[in-house]
mmCIF file of all heavy atoms in Angstrom:
data_model
loop_
_atom_site.group_PDB
_atom_site.id
_atom_site.type_symbol
_atom_site.label_atom_id
_atom_site.label_comp_id
_atom_site.label_asym_id
_atom_site.label_seq_id
_atom_site.Cartn_x
_atom_site.Cartn_y
_atom_site.Cartn_z
ATOM 1 N N HIS A 1479 6.475 17.752 -85.080
ATOM 2 C CA HIS A 1479 7.346 16.643 -85.430
ATOM 3 C C HIS A 1479 6.470 15.369 -85.620
ATOM 4 O O HIS A 1479 5.997 14.765 -84.669
ATOM 5 C CB HIS A 1479 8.352 16.395 -84.366
ATOM 6 C CG HIS A 1479 9.444 15.346 -84.713
ATOM 7 N ND1 HIS A 1479 10.749 15.479 -84.334
ATOM 8 C CD2 HIS A 1479 9.328 14.218 -85.313
ATOM 9 C CE1 HIS A 1479 11.405 14.434 -84.733
ATOM 10 N NE2 HIS A 1479 10.537 13.613 -85.366
ATOM 11 N N HIS A 1481 5.676 11.923 -88.606
ATOM 12 C CA HIS A 1481 6.120 11.134 -89.780
ATOM 13 C C HIS A 1481 4.873 10.566 -90.423
ATOM 14 O O HIS A 1481 4.355 9.530 -89.956
ATOM 15 C CB HIS A 1481 7.083 10.032 -89.456
ATOM 16 C CG HIS A 1481 8.339 10.562 -88.802
ATOM 17 N ND1 HIS A 1481 9.422 10.998 -89.481
ATOM 18 C CD2 HIS A 1481 8.646 10.735 -87.452
ATOM 19 C CE1 HIS A 1481 10.423 11.399 -88.594
ATOM 20 N NE2 HIS A 1481 9.954 11.312 -87.418
ATOM 21 N N LYS A 1591 16.278 18.174 -92.519
ATOM 22 C CA LYS A 1591 16.437 17.475 -91.204
ATOM 23 C C LYS A 1591 17.792 16.809 -91.164
ATOM 24 O O LYS A 1591 18.177 16.199 -92.201
ATOM 25 C CB LYS A 1591 15.337 16.374 -91.155
ATOM 26 C CG LYS A 1591 15.475 15.365 -89.992
ATOM 27 C CD LYS A 1591 14.765 15.751 -88.737
ATOM 28 C CE LYS A 1591 14.814 14.709 -87.697
ATOM 29 N NZ LYS A 1591 13.893 13.615 -87.882
ATOM 30 N N HIS A 1652 13.748 16.420 -79.856
ATOM 31 C CA HIS A 1652 13.891 15.521 -78.724
ATOM 32 C C HIS A 1652 14.699 16.179 -77.552
ATOM 33 O O HIS A 1652 14.239 16.306 -76.496
ATOM 34 C CB HIS A 1652 14.627 14.148 -79.115
ATOM 35 C CG HIS A 1652 14.135 13.571 -80.376
ATOM 36 N ND1 HIS A 1652 12.833 13.170 -80.538
ATOM 37 C CD2 HIS A 1652 14.759 13.290 -81.563
ATOM 38 C CE1 HIS A 1652 12.663 12.710 -81.797
ATOM 39 N NE2 HIS A 1652 13.863 12.761 -82.446
ATOM 40 N N ASP A 1724 6.298 13.187 -82.469
ATOM 41 C CA ASP A 1724 7.017 12.183 -83.209
ATOM 42 C C ASP A 1724 6.006 11.106 -83.707
ATOM 43 O O ASP A 1724 6.333 9.877 -83.825
ATOM 44 C CB ASP A 1724 8.120 11.480 -82.406
ATOM 45 C CG ASP A 1724 9.359 11.094 -83.263
ATOM 46 O OD1 ASP A 1724 9.233 11.184 -84.493
ATOM 47 O OD2 ASP A 1724 10.365 10.741 -82.726
HETATM 48 ZN ZN1 LIG B 1364 11.031 11.622 -85.681
#
Side-chain angles (χ1 to χ4, degrees):
H1479 187 142
H1481 301 275
K1591 167 91 175 284
H1652 318 299
D1724 214 351

